[in-house]
Amino acid sequence: MKPVISALNAWSCVVVSVFAIVILSIIGGLFKSNHHSMVGTTKDPDNGPAVAGSVFAAVIVYVVFLVFCGFQAFLHNRQSKRGAISLN
């Protein structure tokens, strides 16, 4: 199987996805627990757990990105270890 995206794009996507999963998981956890920093003022949403559901849905999207880009990076590593000729 051949990679669909370049190695640089694959590794960049992996890094961004891991960062997004960590940050959004923390934000979702704060909303789910109705932490005062997230739902403490009048301009904040009233239903923290509902917002947390949306944030965790975004986490699932980034997990899918991570799996896809990680697989693409794996394909690039496998292809480069076969001795394929590449011009740098």
Side-chain angles (χ1 to χ4, degrees):
M1 185 171 211
K2 292 177 68 174
V4 178
I5 60 175
S6 71
L8 179 64
N9 286 342
W11 286 111
S12 299
C13 179
V14 166
V15 170
V16 169
S17 295
V18 168
F19 180 74
I21 289 168
V22 170
I23 295 300
L24 288 175
S25 295
I26 292 169
I27 291 172
L30 290 173
F31 272 116
K32 188 172 183 177
S33 67
N34 283 323
H35 194 269
H36 65 88
S37 66
M38 295 296 190
V39 293
T41 65
T42 57
K43 293 183 180 181
D44 291 334
D46 294 330
N47 192 356
V51 176
S54 298
V55 173
F56 288 135
V59 169
I60 291 170
V61 170
Y62 276 106
V63 167
V64 170
F65 284 155
L66 178 65
V67 169
F68 172 74
C69 293
F71 183 66
Q72 293 295 304
F74 167 75
L75 288 177
H76 278 288
N77 279 344
R78 190 177 76 167
Q79 186 178 26
S80 68
K81 289 181 181 177
R82 285 188 188 167
I85 297 173
S86 64
L87 300 174
N88 291 331

